[in-house]
Amino acid sequence: MKTTAIIILSTCLLALIVCYLVFKLKGKAKDALLDQPLFAISKNGFLGFVIGDQFDFVWARITHLGLATQKEMLDYKKDMEAKQMFGIGSNTIKVATNKFEEIDYISLGFDAGNNLNSIMVYVNNKPNTMIKDYLMEIRDKYAKILGEPNMVNSDITCQWMFKGVMIVLFYANNQITLHIHN
């Protein structure tokens, strides 16, 4: 009887330790993602948003990452409902305004079927660095993640193409912009 109780108690303790470690690791993964969000890029998305994601999933991800305040989210929902009443499709969400040091804001665009079809990341200029130098720094880090760009236009545009997704990093109007779209 004592042996059975000890085994059950040990198993419960082990399960608690495993659960604690899993939650700690999940928190660290999210923190790491948000520590350097500009480099949370993949061949089909950014910050865990993937081209083709449904609107509801994107909305849940915005909430999960804290990319919009409750007030911003309520304002957006009201705006979206009003536009739908008049038959005007609202297809862009602006999030993460001044949330990250290196990102001014992120714009998420949706097609007529409410699928994510565009991610635009507007990059803040890096202090004490020429914009074109910063673009090359970002490009070099992206090349480590995505491979070398398929196209480079001088020192102002780099483009990667993957199955159904195009990633363009460019410099225009004194701003570095990342555009991921289908």
Side-chain angles (χ1 to χ4, degrees):
M1 184 79 147
K2 278 186 172 180
T3 307
T4 305
I6 291 172
I7 291 172
I8 291 173
L9 188 58
S10 298
T11 305
C12 289
L13 184 60
L14 182 61
L16 285 172
I17 291 170
V18 168
C19 286
Y20 173 77
L21 291 174
V22 166
F23 285 119
K24 277 298 241 185
L25 290 175
K26 277 187 176 182
K28 286 185 180 184
K30 181 180 173 185
D31 291 344
L33 178 73
L34 298 179
D35 281 344
Q36 290 196 321
L38 188 56
F39 303 107
I41 191 167
S42 68
K43 292 180 178 181
N44 58 0
F46 183 81
L47 269 181
F49 298 106
V50 175
I51 296 298
D53 282 346
Q54 286 287 310
F55 178 85
D56 291 338
F57 177 80
V58 172
W59 193 259
R61 184 120 185 103
I62 290 168
T63 303
H64 172 72
L65 294 175
L67 299 181
T69 65
Q70 278 295 59
K71 183 184 179 328
E72 289 170 328
M73 293 173 74
L74 288 173
D75 289 348
Y76 177 77
K77 276 189 171 185
K78 286 178 186 175
D79 184 49
M80 184 174 68
E81 289 169 358
K83 286 181 178 181
Q84 286 176 344
M85 280 178 53
F86 294 108
I88 303 169
S90 178
N91 60 359
T92 303
I93 302 173
K94 182 178 173 183
V95 297
T97 303
N98 298 314
K99 179 171 177 59
F100 305 112
E101 182 179 335
E102 59 274 304
I103 297 173
D104 186 17
Y105 66 94
I106 301 169
S107 177
L108 304 169
F110 298 86
D111 63 16
N114 263 344
N115 297 313
L116 183 65
N117 70 349
S118 174
I119 303 168
M120 296 204 56
V121 181
Y122 297 88
V123 180
N124 284 326
N125 297 338
K126 187 175 181 179
N128 304 318
T129 305
M130 302 260 313
I131 293 175
K132 289 182 181 181
D133 292 340
Y134 190 36
L135 178 90
M136 289 296 102
E137 182 181 320
I138 295 168
R139 177 222 165 285
D140 291 344
K141 288 185 180 180
Y142 283 0
K144 289 179 182 176
I145 299 167
L146 305 170
E148 289 299 318
N150 301 88
M151 185 196 83
V152 176
N153 175 2
S154 165
D155 57 350
I156 61 168
T157 304
C158 303
Q159 179 178 298
W160 291 264
M161 291 181 281
F162 302 101
K163 185 178 179 183
V165 176
M166 183 179 293
I167 299 173
V168 183
L169 179 67
F170 63 96
Y171 164 78
N173 300 322
N174 206 29
Q175 171 121 52
I176 296 172
T177 305
L178 171 67
H179 188 197
I180 303 169
H181 59 96
N182 57 1

